[in-house]
Amino acid sequence: MTSGLVSRTRRVRSFALALALLASPALADGLIDNANGYTFDGKGQLVRFNGLLIDDQGKVARLLDRDDKRPEKLDFRLDAKGRTVVPGLIDAHGHVMALGEAALSLDLSGTNSLAEAQAALRAYAADRPTPPWIRGRGWNQERWGLGRFPTAADIDAITPGRPVVLDRVDGHALLANSAAMAAAGITAATKDPAGGRIERDAKGKPTGVFVDAAQDLIRKAVPPMLPRDRDAALAKAQEILLGFGITAIADMGTSGDDWLVMRRAGDAGRLRVRIISYAGGIPTLLAVAGTGPTPWLYDGRLRMIGVKLYDDGALGSRGAWLKAPYADAPGQTGLSFLDDTKLRNLMSRAAMDGFQTAVHAIGDAANAQLLDAIDELAATYKGDRRWRIEHAQIVDPADLPRFAKHGIVASMQPVHQTSDRLMAEARLGPARLGGAYAWKAMLDNKVPLAFGSDTPVESPNPFPALAAAVSRQDAAGQPPGGWQPQQIVSLAEAFRAFTATAAYAGFAEDRIGSLAPGHMADFLILDRDIFTAGIADLRAARPLETWIGGKRAWTAPHGGQTSSN
């Protein structure tokens, strides 16, 4: 009799537990209600929702339609008041520490002439008598209409005796003044390093511009940043990213010091944005991660998954490796950083321990070399490798279909196209632009397309990038009809590249990139419906709130916050 009662009691308890599990929405801790919600389903299709239930783990419990019953017991309920709610945006290619450091140093990215840059340097130096070295970035001789690289002579008189180092906007060249060159021991006898170029005058004297690997000749003399300054740079970078609605970012080229800064922030509970890290070389990869990708650390805020390699330079500094000479510099074809054997060896070393490789390739020759390497390595390293080609800016049209092989991910940056349009025409000539910034061709070939910014080369603001992707036009609406308009993609395709596919590119599609049940509740409340907005409104869109893991991480500073109770 007793055993029968116990058995029946157990059955009742089991049934009650099953009912509780079926009623899982009632366990949700929070509700974002009355939302104009958009996300992607498991098939990659854009779907709508009105309510977002968040569980006590900060994950999406359920998406609700307008007529679905709401739970009665909640820790919080936020009325979105009909505002647009979308998944948090993921920057598939950025440089986190460089973004923060740039924000805390001299910023020349908004200057439109050499004279403006000189005035900015003069004011910056006057306001900051210390430290002795001045650092800055963002100069662009193409935007200035200078017709040449700047030189040390252009800035020597502004800061006599005080070393100055200024990075070009793309990070592939720097300008050093005479004091900085003297500190680094640079003379006319200094040789160009492999993979780099020192710009020289007619007499062979260095002019002050150092391209790609030659930058290290100057950087070795620059005093390192103090730990507190690096911590401040990471904090600043996170604030910028959250303010633009970036909830996760692939950090391309994480150094050992960068990793320690991120770990310090994580240990102290100050790591807010999710960072998918790609080490800046094999030694750093092995020192940090060792025998395979790290686990997710700090509640899914940090993971090192692979390595970032460089196969060539950039178009602006004529370091991108081309199959034929530059149209505006007939004697140059750019810089090849790695021969075939070294490229394969480095990729193989990463792949043998299950690390993902992400390789910078801008010129058509670099892209072809990298595609050849993947063709060969894929025969040995089978399975889901997701070989990443970063930028893929100038591709021989004959090579475009090859991206569809071996699960290659095309990691591209829409705003590069609008920034580089005139320069690309000058560098290549009109006949060689058929595979330039070819987003639609990638999608037509069934290539996973992930979008990012390459911040701080470009602003991490994703909304101008979305506008560029769907128009191929800059902020002024130029050129009419779009540049190479056959490469325009739809807004849904562009948004997927900044969310679901950006997550897939970093092996994170099981947790971020959409608001599917079980994913982290990373989302934005926007100031407008971007899916019904015109191009200008899309470009101007801003988050009102940025949420990560079911918690508000950032709020617009001048109001706009929705009410909650």
Side-chain angles (χ1 to χ4, degrees):
M1 179 75 69
T2 303
S3 63
L5 179 59
V6 171
S7 178
R8 184 171 62 189
T9 301
R10 286 174 176 168
R11 288 197 299 270
V12 170
R13 287 175 177 171
S14 296
F15 182 66
L17 178 60
L19 287 178
L21 292 173
L22 288 173
S24 58
L27 302 176
D29 276 356
L31 171 64
I32 310 299
D33 208 2
N34 190 24
N36 175 39
Y38 296 87
T39 189
F40 292 102
D41 62 18
K43 297 180 179 179
Q45 299 300 309
L46 199 64
V47 295
R48 307 290 299 276
F49 63 89
N50 179 256
L52 174 66
L53 282 169
I54 303 168
D55 68 19
D56 59 2
Q57 301 297 311
K59 297 180 179 180
V60 177
R62 187 181 168 194
L63 297 178
L64 302 174
D65 291 328
R66 190 175 301 277
D67 297 332
D68 288 337
K69 186 176 180 180
R70 269 56 174 165
E72 295 180 0
K73 295 182 178 180
L74 293 164
D75 286 344
F76 74 89
R77 177 183 179 277
L78 187 147
D79 183 359
K81 297 184 177 180
R83 293 196 182 276
T84 296
V85 175
V86 298
L89 290 159
I90 302 169
D91 192 319
H93 183 117
H95 306 279
V96 176
M97 291 302 299
L99 171 62
E101 291 168 11
L104 298 176
S105 64
L106 173 59
D107 182 8
L108 299 175
S109 61
T111 59
N112 294 304
S113 67
L114 174 60
E116 285 186 17
Q118 290 168 325
L121 174 59
R122 183 176 292 107
Y124 187 91
D127 289 344
R128 296 165 181 82
T130 59
W133 283 70
I134 294 176
R135 299 175 180 139
R137 71 170 310 281
W139 60 269
N140 186 347
Q141 81 281 7
E142 299 293 332
R143 180 170 179 170
W144 293 349
L146 195 59
R148 60 173 174 85
F149 280 128
T151 67
D154 291 324
I155 59 174
D156 278 344
I158 298 173
T159 57
R162 190 174 178 187
V164 176
V165 176
L166 305 174
D167 291 335
R168 192 181 185 278
V169 64
D170 57 13
H172 285 268
L174 67 76
L175 171 64
N177 69 351
S178 294
M181 287 192 284
I186 302 298
T187 69
T190 304
K191 296 182 178 180
D192 290 8
R197 184 177 72 247
I198 301 172
E199 291 291 318
R200 303 174 189 270
D201 62 19
K203 296 181 179 180
K205 181 182 176 182
T207 64
V209 169
F210 297 78
V211 179
D212 289 313
Q215 296 176 91
D216 293 338
L217 299 173
I218 295 292
R219 294 195 193 283
K220 68 182 182 182
V222 181
M225 291 180 68
L226 296 173
R228 65 172 177 267
D229 294 330
R230 291 179 62 76
D231 290 346
L234 177 58
K236 183 65 175 179
Q238 292 188 91
E239 187 68 17
I240 293 169
L241 293 168
L242 291 169
F244 285 133
I246 301 297
T247 55
I249 184 169
D251 186 50
M252 288 293 167
T254 310
S255 71
D257 285 343
D258 293 343
W259 181 260
L260 293 177
V261 174
M262 295 168 187
R263 290 297 302 263
R264 281 202 299 274
D267 291 343
R270 293 183 278 103
L271 197 56
R272 303 158 68 194
V273 174
R274 303 188 193 279
I275 299 175
I276 304 170
S277 167
Y278 293 80
I282 295 295
T284 300
L285 178 71
L286 300 181
V288 170
T291 58
T294 70
W296 283 101
L297 306 171
Y298 310 116
D299 194 27
R301 292 298 204 281
L302 180 64
R303 185 189 192 200
M304 182 173 283
I305 192 172
V307 65
K308 164 73 179 301
L309 305 173
Y310 285 88
D311 203 22
D312 69 344
L315 204 60
S317 53
R318 296 190 186 88
W321 183 26
L322 302 180
K323 291 184 176 182
Y326 281 85
D328 59 355
Q332 299 181 30
T333 56
L335 297 171
S336 170
F337 289 0
L338 302 168
D339 63 33
D340 292 348
T341 299
K342 189 168 185 179
L343 176 62
R344 285 162 171 76
N345 285 346
L346 291 172
M347 295 176 69
S348 180
R349 182 61 191 86
M352 68 173 58
D353 283 326
F355 291 111
Q356 189 183 17
T357 59
V359 185
H360 165 118
I362 288 184
D364 52 9
N367 277 278
Q369 182 193 38
L370 182 52
L371 289 166
D372 289 343
I374 294 171
D375 278 344
E376 182 175 320
L377 294 173
T380 300
Y381 302 104
K382 301 182 183 299
D384 187 9
R385 295 287 173 169
R386 303 186 197 178
W387 313 94
R388 293 181 57 139
I389 298 183
E390 303 301 314
H391 308 306
Q393 285 184 8
I394 309 299
V395 180
D396 186 332
D399 287 329
L400 284 170
R402 301 177 64 195
F403 277 76
K405 300 172 64 177
H406 314 304
I408 294 171
V409 175
S411 172
M412 305 178 76
Q413 300 76 41
V415 178
H416 279 337
Q417 180 268 305
T418 52
S419 296
D420 294 355
R421 170 176 62 90
L422 296 177
M423 178 185 65
E425 291 175 349
R427 295 284 188 270
L428 299 169
R432 297 162 63 188
L433 298 174
Y437 313 87
W439 314 319
K440 188 65 166 62
M442 294 296 182
L443 292 178
D444 288 346
N445 282 297
K446 309 300 182 186
V447 177
L449 178 64
F451 276 163
S453 67
D454 201 14
T455 186
V457 175
E458 302 281 2
S459 165
N461 186 350
F463 298 102
L466 288 168
V470 301
S471 69
R472 307 276 289 194
Q473 294 176 324
D474 62 19
Q478 294 298 317
W483 188 78
Q484 303 289 327
Q486 72 276 10
Q487 298 297 345
I488 285 173
V489 298
S490 72
L491 181 55
E493 290 168 334
F495 191 75
R496 188 183 302 113
F498 263 116
T499 52
T501 314
Y504 173 87
F507 285 91
E509 74 276 12
D510 61 334
R511 60 183 57 227
I512 57 176
S514 77
L515 294 174
H519 282 202
M520 300 306 300
D522 298 355
F523 61 90
L524 313 177
I525 301 176
L526 300 179
D527 66 350
R528 68 199 72 196
D529 186 339
I530 61 172
F531 289 98
T532 61
I535 299 298
D537 274 347
L538 173 60
R539 186 181 298 277
R542 294 292 184 272
L544 299 174
E545 299 183 14
T546 301
W547 289 60
I548 297 182
K551 296 180 180 179
R552 186 185 286 118
W554 180 90
T555 303
H558 301 299
Q561 179 177 316
T562 54
S563 62
S564 63
N565 59 283

